[in-house]
Amino acid sequence: MHEAGFTTFLVDDDPAVLRSITRLLNAAGYKTKSYSSPQEFLSSHDPAVPGCAIIDLVMSELDGLHLQQALIEAGSERPIIFLTGQGDISTSVKAMKAGAVDFLTKPVQREALFSAVKRAANVDAASRQRRNESKSIGERISTLTHREREVLEYVIAGRLNKQIAASLGTVEKTVKVHRGRMMAKLGVRTVADLVRLADKAGIAPAHPMVG
Amino acid sequence: MYWASWYASNALGSLTLSPIALICIERMGSFSFTPTLRRVEAILVAAVLAVTCFFAFKEDTSIASGYVPALLYLPLPIIVWAAVRFGAGGASGAILVISVVLIWRALNGHNLFDVGNAEANVFAIQLFLIGLSCPILLLGAAIEETRHAETVTREREERISFAAASSSVGLWQYDLAAGKFWATDYCRTLFGLPAGVPLDLDRLLNRIHPNDFPTAHAVFKSAIARAAPLEIEFRVQGPDRGYHWVSARAQPVFGDDGKPTAMTGAFADATSRKLAEAEADMQRHEIAHLMRVSMLGELSGGLAHELTQPLTAILSNAQAGKILLAAGKKNLPEIGNIFDDIITEDNRAGEVIHRLRGLMKKGEIKYEPVDMNELIASTLRLLHSELIGRRITINDEKTPDLPPAHGDPIQLQQVLLNLFMNAMDAMDGVAPSRRAITVSTAVTDEGGIDVRISDCGMGLPKSQEHSVFQPFFTTKKRGLGLGLPICASIMKLHGGTLSLQNNVSEGATAIFRLPPPGA
C-alpha cells in the first residue's frame, strides 16, 4: 500500500480533532505522529523520514500557509494536505500553488482523506526517488577528472572526437581514452543515456565554438 | 322721653323692616327656587314663634310671680332655629313676627311690658325688641356668611374635581390624625368602582392587579406611616375584564407646627403612556434582536468553524471505529475510547448551538443573577475561531469570585459581543503580532460590576468620543452605526452605564458598569 516507514505527520491545535484523525489513520494502518502546535512540528521535523504532513489551516500560533512556507524555506519537500473548516478559494489557490497535495474541507470523509494521503505518498516516493537518483548521479560525476568532465560537456553538446580534440588542444586518440573512462565511470553505454544523465544532474552542454 | 321714643322707634323700624325688605328685593329673582319643604318649614317656624310669643307675652300672673325673665327667653330657641336654618332672612323674619305679636298684644289689652303709661309701655317694648334683634341679626348674618363660604368651597372643589377628572386625574387626601380618606369621584372611575360605593384607601388599593398589589400596598402604607412623598405605578382592574395603568403621586401636607397633618395626592391614568412605552420597548427589543442576528451573521465563518471542529472529530472517530470493528474484537478498548470522545465532542457541538440559539431567539427579557466572568468566558468561546482567524490574543485580567450581577444574560452577552467585535475591527490595521484585547473585571465601590475591554487599535476619532453613541454614527466601512446605541440602551435598561475612551498610549477602552443587584 505504501512504502515502509511512511509516516503521516498531523498538525492541529484542536486536541479532539487531532486525536480523531490520528485514530482514523492508525485504523487504516498508517504510522502517525501528531503535534498540537506548528512550532513543535517544525522543531522536531526530520525530512529524511518518508511521509506527508496533514495540517490544519487555521491555528492560533502559526497558520497552515505560514507553516508550509517555513517548511519550504527549510528546504523540505514534504508533501502537505491541508484541512480547513472554511475553504475559501484564494487560500486554497495559494496553498496549491505552493505545492500542497490537497485541500480538504472539514468534516473530512475518510475516502477523501485516504486518497489524498495515497497521492501524497506517491508524490513523496517520487520526489524521494528523484532525489536519490540525482544524489547518486552527483556522486558518480564527482569521481570524474577535470579533463573527463570537459569531454563530457563537449560530448553532450554533440561534438565529434576530432572537434573536441581541437577545442582542448590535444589529439583525437587522447580524447577517445578520456571519453571511454568517463562513460565507464558514469555507467552509461550510449550517448543518449549520457545526455539524459547530464540533464538530471543539471550539467549544461559546452558552448559551441564560435567561428 | 319723646325724643328717646322717637329715636328708638326709628331704630326698631330699620332693624325689623329694612333687613327683610332688602332680602326680599335681593332674592326676588331666585325666590321660586326655594324648595317646598323649606317653605313649609319656614311657615311652621313662623307659626310656632307666633304662638309661643302669644302665650309668652301675655299679661299674666307671671309678673306677680316673677317669671318675667324666663318668659322673655321662651321664644329664643325658636328665633335661633329660624336664624340657623334660614340665615339673615330667618332672623329678621322672626324679629318681625315677634314685633307684630308684641304690638298686637299691646293694642289688645295687657301684656308683659305693662309698665304704667302708654308711652313708657311702648318704649319698653321698643327697647326689648332692639336688644333682641341686634344679636339675632348678627347671628343670622354670621350663619349666612358661613353657609356662603361653604358653598363657595364646595363649588371650587367641584370645579377642581371636574378639571382633574377631565384630564384623567383623580385627587385624594388622607387625614393622618383622623385616618379619614377623601377622594374625588373620578377615583371611582379610575379604580373601576361603581358609583355610590364609599371611597376609602383600602377599597381602592384592593382593585390593584394581584402582581402589583404587594409592592403598591407596602409603598402606600410606608409613605403614610412616615408621611413621606410617594410615587408609584401599578395596574388596576378596570370595570371590564381588562387592566389599565394608574400612576400615583402624593406628598405630605404640613400643619402650622411643621408636623404632617395629611397626605394629599393624585391618581392619573397612565395607560396610554404605558402603551407607548411598551411599544417603544418592543421596537428597541426588536432592533436589539436584529442587531444580534446581524452580528452573528458577521461571525458566521468563525461560528461555522466552532461547529466544524467537533463534527470533524465525531466523523473521524466514528469512521475509525467502523474500521476497527471490522478488524476484530481485539480493538474493543479503543472503540470504548472512541465512543467517549464522540460523546464529548457531541456535547461540545451542542453547547455551541445552545449559545447560538440563545442569541438568535427573540425571547422576553429575563432578569436573573449573572456571573459576568462566566458570561465573558462564554462569549470568548463563541468568538474563539474568529479570534484565531484574525490572529488576536486575549489578555485575561478577570477578577475571580465576582458577586453576581443582575440582568438579562442574552442582552448582556450581546453588549459584550458587540464590544469585542468593535475591539477586533479596530485592530484590522495593526500588525498581527501586536493584536491583543485585554478584558478585565472588577467590583466597583458601590458593589456593582465593572468590565473593561481594551484594544490596541486606532482608537476613537478625536473629539468624537461621544458621537459613537449616536445612532447611525460609524467609523467602519460596513457599519450601520447602531451597535453602540443599542448597547447603551441595553445598559440603561439594566441601570448601568457604557462609556468609551481612548487609551493613553494606543487604542480604546470600553467601560461597562452594572449597579449592584437591587440598587
Side-chain angles (χ1 to χ4, degrees):
Chain A
M1 181 155 92
H2 42 81
E3 161 181 8
F6 180 85
T7 308
T8 53
F9 299 92
L10 297 164
V11 191
D12 197 318
D13 61 354
D14 189 318
V17 173
L18 186 63
R19 202 162 54 241
S20 69
I21 296 191
T22 307
R23 251 186 211 134
L24 181 57
L25 289 167
N26 282 340
Y30 286 100
K31 211 172 139 191
T32 57
K33 269 197 148 165
S34 47
Y35 304 89
S36 58
S37 96
Q39 301 298 358
E40 194 191 330
F41 169 66
L42 267 183
S43 61
S44 66
H45 183 241
D46 177 8
V49 181
C52 70
I54 301 176
I55 298 172
D56 183 27
L57 194 67
V58 184
M59 287 182 289
S60 52
E61 278 177 32
L62 185 69
D63 74 33
L65 286 184
H66 285 91
L67 180 56
Q68 181 185 32
Q69 220 49 53
L71 281 175
I72 291 169
E73 277 161 24
S76 158
E77 285 179 36
R78 171 89 58 220
I80 294 172
I81 298 165
F82 281 114
L83 292 186
T84 174
Q86 61 233 84
D88 67 288
I89 292 170
S90 75
T91 318
S92 57
V93 166
K94 240 187 254 174
M96 300 303 278
K97 268 189 174 170
V101 172
D102 212 336
F103 200 85
L104 301 174
T105 309
K106 287 182 186 176
V108 59
Q109 296 294 335
R110 69 173 185 192
E111 294 78 11
L113 181 67
F114 291 164
S115 98
V117 171
K118 253 177 229 149
R119 264 181 292 126
N122 291 340
V123 169
D124 187 58
S127 83
R128 228 158 264 285
Q129 198 193 343
R130 197 176 60 240
R131 258 177 295 153
N132 282 340
E133 220 174 68
S134 73
K135 202 173 142 199
S136 81
I137 292 168
E139 276 165 6
R140 274 179 279 164
I141 286 173
S142 66
T143 60
L144 298 182
T145 63
H146 180 70
R147 185 46 56 115
E148 282 164 359
R149 169 86 188 227
E150 277 178 327
V151 172
L152 163 64
E153 288 171 15
Y154 282 110
V155 171
I156 59 173
R159 303 294 187 83
L160 301 173
N161 288 347
K162 199 164 58 183
Q163 291 169 311
I164 299 169
S167 298
L168 292 178
T170 181
V171 291
E172 194 183 346
K173 206 175 169 190
T174 317
V175 172
K176 253 186 180 168
V177 173
H178 284 307
R179 184 171 175 163
R181 276 204 205 119
M182 181 263 291
M183 300 276 275
K185 274 183 181 174
L186 295 179
V188 290
R189 298 240 220 110
T190 64
V191 176
D193 286 342
L194 183 69
V195 169
R196 214 174 294 132
L197 185 142
D199 184 46
K200 276 182 189 163
I203 296 169
H207 292 292
M209 288 273 284
V210 181
Chain B
M1 187 67 195
Y2 171 78
W3 288 109
S5 184
W6 179 81
Y7 184 78
S9 83
N10 270 357
L12 187 61
S14 51
L15 274 173
T16 51
L17 293 174
S18 48
I20 203 141
L22 280 172
I23 288 164
C24 283
I25 292 163
E26 195 184 271
R27 294 202 181 156
M28 203 77 94
S30 61
F31 210 68
S32 56
F33 289 118
T34 320
T36 330
L37 213 64
R38 260 178 92 75
R39 268 191 228 177
V40 172
E41 189 184 352
I43 292 163
L44 188 72
V45 173
V48 170
L49 188 63
V51 172
T52 312
C53 290
F54 180 78
F55 288 108
F57 301 149
K58 194 168 77 174
E59 183 267 349
D60 204 281
T61 48
S62 52
I63 301 170
S65 50
Y67 288 142
V68 177
L71 285 170
L72 282 177
Y73 286 121
L74 202 57
L76 202 60
I78 301 157
I79 301 168
V80 172
W81 178 14
V84 167
R85 291 291 296 156
F86 300 96
S92 46
I95 286 165
L96 187 70
V97 170
I98 294 171
S99 314
V100 169
V101 174
L102 256 179
I103 290 163
W104 180 80
R105 268 257 172 240
L107 295 176
N108 295 285
H110 300 290
N111 65 60
L112 263 183
F113 298 95
D114 249 344
V115 190
N117 59 47
E119 263 179 34
N121 284 358
V122 168
F123 191 58
I125 288 171
Q126 284 172 341
L127 281 184
F128 169 71
L129 284 175
I130 289 168
L132 183 68
S133 53
C134 283
I136 293 300
L137 282 174
L138 285 176
L139 175 69
I143 284 168
E144 182 101 7
E145 201 55 44
T146 314
R147 193 163 296 155
H148 181 66
E150 269 174 15
T151 314
V152 167
T153 312
R154 198 173 52 241
E155 277 172 5
R156 194 172 294 157
E157 211 169 74
E158 277 167 6
R159 245 176 269 145
I160 291 172
S161 295
F162 177 73
S166 50
S167 55
S168 308
V169 171
L171 304 174
W172 59 275
Q173 185 153 32
Y174 184 81
D175 190 323
L176 292 172
K180 271 176 72 181
F181 183 78
W182 164 91
T184 60
D185 227 24
Y186 188 70
C187 292
R188 278 201 188 83
T189 318
L190 264 183
F191 284 82
L193 287 170
V197 174
L199 285 172
D200 66 58
L201 190 58
D202 283 330
R203 192 166 274 139
L204 291 183
L205 293 184
N206 279 335
R207 303 286 301 167
I208 294 176
H209 190 287
N211 290 358
D212 299 348
F213 178 78
T215 322
H217 193 259
V219 164
F220 268 91
K221 292 293 157 192
S222 97
I224 287 171
R226 292 181 298 122
L230 77 79
E231 192 171 345
I232 189 174
E233 289 179 339
F234 42 77
R235 280 161 295 168
V236 165
Q237 171 93 59
D240 46 8
R241 309 206 99 217
Y243 282 92
H244 56 257
W245 279 92
V246 170
S247 85
R249 279 160 190 263
Q251 52 191 34
V253 178
F254 295 96
D256 294 336
D257 54 357
K259 283 184 183 161
T261 57
M263 287 290 286
T264 182
F267 293 118
D269 192 337
T271 310
S272 49
R273 178 169 55 79
K274 277 282 175 185
L275 281 179
E277 275 175 16
E279 178 91 351
D281 262 3
M282 213 182 67
Q283 279 169 1
R284 197 200 55 77
H285 196 57
E286 199 101 339
I287 293 172
H289 173 249
L290 282 176
M291 288 304 293
R292 238 172 18 236
V293 173
S294 89
M295 215 157 37
L296 293 179
E298 273 175 57
L299 288 172
S300 60
L303 293 173
H305 195 249
E306 284 304 297
L307 276 176
T308 303
Q309 294 294 88
L311 287 177
T312 304
I314 290 169
L315 181 63
S316 301
N317 269 315
Q319 288 177 333
K322 232 178 134 185
I323 296 172
L324 290 178
L325 207 58
K329 279 191 178 173
K330 63 181 191 321
N331 295 315
L332 278 182
E334 180 65 356
I335 290 172
N337 294 337
I338 284 175
F339 276 121
D340 286 343
D341 274 7
I342 287 178
I343 291 167
T344 312
E345 290 308 296
D346 204 285
N347 286 335
R348 177 177 159 197
E351 269 172 42
V352 175
I353 290 171
H354 179 75
R355 273 196 286 274
L356 279 181
R357 191 189 285 150
L359 286 165
M360 293 290 259
K361 77 176 175 196
K362 193 164 57 180
E364 286 286 300
I365 299 176
K366 264 190 290 185
Y367 289 91
E368 52 190 68
V370 177
D371 179 347
M372 277 316 282
N373 281 345
E374 175 49 39
L375 199 64
I376 291 170
S378 159
T379 309
L380 287 175
R381 276 199 292 277
L382 212 52
L383 289 170
H384 179 251
S385 296
E386 193 72 24
L387 287 165
I388 289 174
R390 298 211 202 178
R391 324 211 64 73
I392 296 169
T393 50
I394 295 285
N395 299 324
D396 187 347
E397 291 178 8
K398 295 203 290 275
T399 306
D401 304 322
L402 280 185
H406 184 67
D408 178 52
I410 289 171
Q411 299 232 5
L412 291 178
Q413 184 163 41
Q414 176 173 3
V415 176
L416 287 173
L417 205 53
N418 206 311
L419 296 180
F420 276 120
M421 282 175 67
N422 283 351
M424 284 155 68
D425 289 346
M427 292 190 295
D428 275 349
V430 176
S433 57
R434 286 180 46 248
R435 290 179 193 164
I437 294 174
T438 304
V439 55
S440 69
T441 55
V443 182
T444 63
D445 294 342
E446 301 87 47
I449 308 278
D450 177 294
V451 178
R452 280 159 200 258
I453 295 169
S454 309
D455 59 61
C456 41
M458 57 195 175
L460 295 163
K462 287 269 170 274
S463 78
Q464 291 186 333
E465 296 186 13
H466 293 287
S467 314
V468 292
F469 289 107
Q470 273 160 23
F472 307 115
F473 175 88
T474 183
T475 58
K476 298 182 192 177
K477 274 188 192 134
R478 283 188 353 200
L480 268 180
L482 283 177
L484 282 175
I486 292 284
C487 289
S489 82
I490 289 174
M491 292 310 293
K492 202 174 153 199
L493 202 70
H494 284 78
T497 56
L498 176 64
S499 59
L500 246 87
Q501 58 190 45
N502 275 325
N503 298 335
V504 178
S505 52
E506 57 178 359
T509 298
I511 304 165
F512 157 134
R513 277 176 175 227
L514 282 171

